[in-house]
Amino acid sequence: MPKPIFFLDIEQVLLHREGMAWHPNDIAPLLSELAQEHRLGILGNLPPHHDPDSFRLLLRDAGLEGWFEPELVVLANYLPRPLTDPVLFRSVAALTETPPADLTYLTAHPDRANAATTAGWQTQLPGGGVEGSLLGVEDGEVVGTLFADEVDEDTGPTFVLKGRIVTLDETDRVIDNGRLLIQRGKMAAILTPTDPLPAAFANAPVVDTQATLFPGLMDLHNHLPYNIISLWQVPKKYKNRNKWRTNPDYKKSVSAPVVALASQEATAKALVRYVEAKALLAGMTTGQGMRMIVQGVTKHFVGLMRNVEDTRDRRLPSATTRVPDLNPRRPSDLEGARRNLDRSTAWFYHLAEGVDEESRLHFKTLLDNNLLGKALVGIHSLGLQRADLDAVAAAGGKVVWSPLSNLLLYGKTIKLADLLGSGVLFSLGCDWSPSGSKNPLLELKVARWVAQKQNAPITSRQLVGLLTDKAAQVVGWQKHLGSLKPGMLADIIAVNGTDGDPYDKLIDARERDISLVIIHGMPRVGNEATLRQLLPATAVLETLTIDSAPKSFFWQHPLSTLNDLPLKAAQQRLSDAMGDLKGFIRNGQTNGGLLDFGSSGDPFGLVLDMESHDTDHPSGLLTASLFDVSEEQVPDSVPLDTLEVADPVFWATMLAEQNLPANLAADLQQFYT
């Protein structure tokens, strides 16, 4: 017999107001008790300035999202009847196919409780443990739901790409002189040289790329807002991540500058533009996303790349993420993790980042609390032993491997033989530029170097798969991305040349070799002549010289807030601010708007996942504006990390890094000279 349903109101029950911002209540113990006998749902109005996405983030960050069944989340803002109308409650009963007597509504609003009672529901008013202030919300007239992400409409130009096609499909086909047919954001067909061209493509532009075509690269471990910072000179070998994060030089050279820049509208926007461009130039089409805060509401930034945490596409399930360690003495931590594992396709968790027993204890927390599951994606997993990896694999869990970051901070990385021998599904991630790879092309080279030194039985094809088809499997997107096959979404990159081993071609590549980047059928980065062939005549392009080669960007996106911000302007804005950090902070404190740095006065800031380790915030995500950075906490200046790897400062730092294995930096540098 189906369980009865217990709906919770939003204002005062799920959320409470502090000033102008709304925050989740600590109701995980209540939800745990209710869930034993009920299915749980939400029925209420969203607070001002919130939309379904920002509300979902509030719940997710507090570990509450997983308690509620998506089909039982009803936002009255988008319904034609208000919460004070019994008809609304009768409609909800009908939609859930549940007798009204089996429905309970917890609300702090007596008029809403009366309406529910009139419709035959049971009602409860909250006790003294639920705090908050009532803020009335007008009821809207648009039908909508919370968790039903809108499909990114399949639109875009029709065209044909000629080149060597590396499918990375089940057969590992490589088609010389092949043709890839793109229409409305998808791959319509893949043709050999002798296959006839379908009539629908008779008049389509044909671009001879003279390149090798691959699926777009998916980086499943990154902290993008920090990628304006150059490589940190790591002062010693650390045992776990909680050690290096307390280093005074790290705080002064990495943490504090990013907080200062991310907390002001002008530089925060410039930062977002810059780090996305940095990723796109290396063929990265999917990554962990960036969060922004606008008018006190946290939302995901919508840019050109796909965001694994907010896909806005039902075909691509959104992942959930947790950076801080779970606290085994905090029941809400453990229950939140359990719910995320149960309800998510992929739950990214920074797991056992270190080489000591303290790091491995975080894995034991999962093991002891039955928190190994198929949705688990263990970022780093450096402290796991072979038996631990076997346990993760047996549960269907996954791993993201970040070898350069591991080597820079800890002097060792996971044994590839253990990863391969356990059979665990794993992918590759850059981590971030302060102590990791600038982009996935560099990380691929590091992975191959490590594999060769460890004599690991992994091929170049398998290494490329860690950023393509295997990465897609990690997040459950393999039916739509990660391979080049008819019917799949058209995320494609082109690497100059068609000679040599196709997989080494990608691993050997650097930014200047990426001649075209396509996301959902839309050309975004590449050679200007190619983009002009594929885009409307009215398309506005921005061209810069990157890694000694001209690259053009097509920035326009219907949902982006940065369409009017060129990369050149963003680069200059960041360079000016970082060149005089103390003056930047002083200027922001005195005029409040940083008008000298291009501020328009919009309340735009970024959320920084690496700062909240220093807080007790359960999500591991706090906005930069909550951290007060003074002039004394930053150096006079810090260099803006370059967009390309071929940078003398970067290589000088790499060659001086004391924790790297002998010859690693020198061997890698040969690809960039």
Side-chain angles (χ1 to χ4, degrees), residues 303-632:
L304 306 188
M305 294 191 307
R306 297 187 189 275
N307 176 1
V308 295
E309 294 156 352
D310 185 14
T311 68
R312 299 174 181 266
D313 192 326
R314 293 179 188 173
R315 296 167 293 192
L316 307 175
S318 296
T320 52
T321 300
R322 182 184 174 94
V323 177
D325 301 320
L326 291 172
N327 184 345
R329 295 181 297 277
R330 182 188 291 155
S332 60
D333 265 21
L334 301 178
E335 197 55 47
R338 193 181 318 282
R339 292 286 168 168
N340 277 319
L341 285 169
D342 290 343
R343 298 285 171 83
S344 303
T345 302
W347 179 55
F348 289 95
Y349 176 48
H350 278 58
L351 176 61
E353 185 185 344
V355 296
D356 57 1
E357 188 58 27
E358 180 182 334
S359 302
R360 186 170 176 269
L361 284 176
H362 299 300
F363 171 75
K364 288 181 62 63
T365 295
L366 298 183
L367 193 65
D368 294 344
N369 292 278
N370 195 28
L371 292 174
L372 297 182
K374 62 181 181 180
L376 173 66
V377 183
I379 303 293
H380 290 295
S381 301
L382 176 59
L384 300 193
Q385 301 171 4
R386 170 58 192 272
D388 303 333
L389 291 168
D390 289 342
V392 173
K398 295 93 175 174
V399 167
V400 180
W401 179 41
S402 297
L404 183 56
S405 176
N406 297 163
L407 294 169
L408 283 165
L409 294 169
Y410 311 110
K412 64 179 294 187
T413 189
I414 202 165
K415 292 181 180 178
L416 262 178
D418 288 347
L419 277 174
L420 296 167
S422 70
V424 68
L425 179 63
F426 69 101
S427 66
L428 195 64
C430 295
D431 200 345
W432 59 348
S433 64
S435 64
S437 287
K438 279 176 178 273
N439 61 46
L441 296 179
L442 177 59
E443 193 72 4
L444 266 176
K445 295 174 181 59
V446 176
R448 181 175 60 184
W449 190 94
V450 170
Q452 292 170 348
K453 294 301 178 181
Q454 292 184 357
N455 293 315
I458 188 169
T459 64
S460 293
R461 188 271 179 248
Q462 288 174 299
L463 287 169
V464 170
L466 300 182
L467 289 167
T468 53
D469 60 317
K470 294 302 181 185
Q473 291 177 34
V474 167
V475 289
W477 294 2
Q478 62 272 21
K479 292 183 179 179
H480 305 286
L481 287 168
S483 303
L484 301 183
K485 295 192 292 187
M488 299 189 80
L489 299 175
D491 288 13
I492 303 159
I493 63 171
V495 180
N496 285 329
T498 58
D499 58 324
D501 179 85
Y503 306 109
D504 283 329
K505 168 71 70 175
L506 179 61
I507 302 175
D508 292 344
R510 49 195 276 188
E511 295 89 346
R512 69 186 183 192
D513 299 316
I514 306 298
S515 59
L516 185 61
V517 178
I518 294 172
I519 302 176
H520 206 150
M522 185 62 67
R524 289 301 183 182
V525 181
N527 301 330
E528 182 176 1
T530 300
L531 266 59
R532 292 292 183 196
Q533 282 183 270
L534 301 178
L535 292 170
T538 56
V540 177
L541 302 182
E542 181 184 15
T543 302
L544 296 84
T545 298
I546 308 294
D547 194 16
S548 304
K551 299 294 179 185
S552 294
F553 295 85
F554 177 55
W555 292 118
Q556 300 302 303
H557 188 289
L559 299 179
S560 175
T561 57
L562 301 183
N563 284 330
D564 60 345
L565 180 59
L567 175 58
K568 289 179 183 177
Q571 187 171 16
Q572 188 62 55
R573 191 180 296 176
L574 289 170
S575 296
D576 290 345
M578 296 170 73
D580 182 14
L581 266 178
K582 294 183 184 294
F584 170 78
I585 293 173
R586 187 166 55 250
N587 187 33
Q589 292 171 342
T590 56
N591 69 28
L594 292 175
L595 299 179
D596 291 343
F597 289 90
S599 173
S600 65
D602 294 339
F604 180 103
L606 292 177
V607 177
L608 302 176
D609 55 4
M610 290 301 292
E611 303 312 311
S612 50
H613 292 273
D614 300 326
T615 76
D616 196 37
H617 194 272
S619 69
L621 294 164
L622 286 178
T623 62
S625 59
L626 295 180
F627 297 90
D628 184 20
V629 177
S630 66
E631 294 180 48
E632 294 72 25

